[in-house]
């Protein structure tokens, strides 16, 4: 292989590097050829001493990505280091694929922890603003909850029916064994039904008149102010702890992987010098 063929293959294999850095590398190896020719060596001998230009390009690419990661530590640069090391054959597919999946899972865990932390901060901030400024208003009805629970759970099982002179009616149905209860109100204008399920939540609200009807399910009492504070603190603790754990895992992963890549690249460079 002569100089032109070697430089051409090297330049093609370095196509993923920035143009300025690629040109600097090509200039260095062109100068290396000139020095070798001046020392009386042939182009074929110099090219043979440098080895396969494609393998050399992979080594140089790995060095580039390692240096880039050292200057700016990020998941993107870490993925590039993994890809470069795998491309050199130092990390085969059976190891690279699970490792990339681990990095993806670590990224998702960090994003999830961030979301949990933000949710906790929002709840805590809402509670703090409510206590300091009275806004936003946190709606809670402990008296209504207590009355409703006493009605649903207390007393014998049975029904109450009240009839009005103009066709109005109120039906109260209570099932003490199952914990379900409902109130049904009917008049000439329409009907209203309110149901409570066994989990102490408002399960369904049904409103109907001559023009239409509304049916809402899955109702609940919502968070109280104290519940909002405790939930916010819990989410902040979980999110913050998750982020800290992800940070530690990422830091250990970065250090171990880059140290491995730097070590392997050094071995290749040392072997190349021995061959020369």
């Amino acid at each position: 292989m002569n100089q032109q063929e070697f430089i051409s293959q090297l330049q093609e294999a370095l196509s993923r590097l920035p143009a300025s850095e690629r040109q600097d590398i090509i200039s260095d190896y062109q100068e290396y050829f000139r020095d070798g020719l001046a020392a009386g060596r042939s182009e074929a001998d110099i090219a043979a001493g440098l080895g396969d230009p494609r393998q050399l390009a992979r080594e140089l690419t790995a060095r580039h990505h390692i240096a880039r990661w050292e200057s700016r530590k990020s998941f993107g640069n870490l993925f590039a280091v993994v890809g470069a090391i795998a491309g050199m054959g130092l990390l085969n597919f059976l190891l690279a694929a699970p490792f990339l999946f681990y990095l993806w899972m670590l990224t998702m865990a960090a994003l999830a922890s961030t979301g949990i932390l933000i949710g906790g901060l929002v709840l805590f901030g809402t509670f703090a603003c409510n206590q300091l400024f009275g806004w936003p208003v946190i709606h809670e009805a402990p008296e209504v909850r207590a009355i409703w629970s006493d009605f649903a759970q207390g007393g014998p099982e049975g029904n109450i029916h009240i009839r009005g002179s103009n066709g109005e009616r109120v039906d109260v149905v209570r099932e003490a064994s199952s914990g379900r209860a409902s109130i049904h109100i009917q008049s000439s204008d329409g009907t209203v039904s309110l149901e409570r399920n066994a989990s102490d939540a408002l399960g369904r609200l049904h409103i109907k008149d001559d023009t239409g009807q509304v049916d809402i399910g899955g109702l609940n009492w919502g968070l109280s102010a104290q519940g909002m504070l405790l939930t916010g603190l819990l989410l902040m603790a979980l999110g913050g702890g998750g982020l800290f754990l992800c940070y530690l895992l990422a830091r250990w992963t970065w250090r171990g992987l880059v140290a491995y890549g730097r070590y392997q690249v050094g071995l290749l460079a040392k072997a190349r010098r021995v061959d020369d």
Side-chain angles (χ1 to χ4, degrees):
M1 181 183 298
N2 58 31
Q3 177 181 351
Q4 183 178 358
E5 293 173 339
F6 183 91
I7 294 298
S8 177
Q9 292 184 20
L10 179 62
Q11 188 169 13
E12 181 180 357
L14 292 173
S15 59
R16 295 184 178 181
L17 293 184
S20 58
E21 185 168 350
R22 184 170 63 248
Q23 186 57 45
D24 289 341
I25 293 174
I26 295 300
S27 298
D28 289 340
Y29 280 94
Q30 287 175 337
E31 183 177 357
Y32 183 84
F33 268 94
R34 286 195 296 269
D35 293 341
L37 292 173
R41 299 175 63 187
S42 66
E43 291 186 357
D45 181 47
I46 298 172
L50 291 173
D52 184 358
R54 289 179 292 271
Q55 180 63 25
L56 177 61
R58 286 191 286 268
E59 178 185 333
L60 294 171
T61 301
R63 289 181 178 178
H64 165 77
H65 288 304
I66 290 174
R68 185 178 178 184
W69 177 88
E70 289 176 337
S71 63
R72 183 176 180 273
K73 295 178 175 59
S74 67
F75 279 106
N77 289 340
L78 183 59
F79 274 103
V81 171
V82 175
I85 294 176
M88 294 173 61
L90 304 178
L91 188 64
N92 60 45
F93 180 78
L94 294 178
L95 294 178
F99 187 76
L100 290 174
F101 178 74
Y102 159 75
L103 291 181
W104 179 82
M105 290 293 294
L106 188 60
T107 303
M108 293 299 102
L111 292 176
S113 298
T114 302
I116 293 173
L117 178 61
I118 292 174
L121 290 173
V122 169
L123 289 179
F124 182 80
T126 301
F127 171 81
C129 289
N130 173 265
Q131 297 299 308
L132 294 174
F133 311 111
W135 180 91
V137 178
I138 301 176
H139 296 284
E140 53 179 328
E143 296 83 2
V144 175
R145 178 195 288 267
I147 294 172
W148 183 259
S149 298
D150 291 343
F151 156 73
Q153 297 177 357
E157 181 175 353
N159 302 331
I160 300 175
H161 304 286
I162 302 174
R163 301 290 184 269
S165 58
N166 296 322
E168 301 90 347
R169 57 183 294 182
V170 176
D171 297 317
V172 179
V173 179
R174 177 173 53 204
E175 300 178 8
S177 58
S178 64
R180 293 182 298 178
S182 65
I183 299 177
H184 179 78
I185 303 173
Q186 179 176 338
S187 68
S188 58
D189 297 328
T191 61
V192 176
S193 298
L194 183 63
E195 298 180 1
R196 172 198 179 278
N197 56 33
S199 62
D200 196 28
L202 293 177
R204 178 173 175 266
L205 174 64
H206 179 77
I207 303 173
K208 180 180 180 181
D209 59 14
D210 295 336
T211 60
Q213 64 180 7
V214 176
D215 198 347
I216 304 175
L219 299 175
N220 55 60
W221 295 103
L223 285 176
S224 64
Q226 292 77 11
M228 181 174 292
L229 173 62
L230 293 176
T231 303
L233 292 176
L234 177 61
L235 291 178
M236 289 169 60
L238 290 175
L243 279 178
F244 182 70
L245 179 60
C246 290
Y247 167 76
L248 291 180
L249 290 175
R251 187 178 180 86
W252 295 334
T253 302
W254 288 343
R255 288 183 174 180
L257 180 64
V258 173
Y260 172 78
R262 191 184 297 113
Y263 171 74
Q264 292 292 345
V265 170
L267 288 181
L268 290 177
K270 183 178 180 180
R272 192 182 305 281
R273 288 194 297 269
V274 171
D275 292 338
D276 291 343

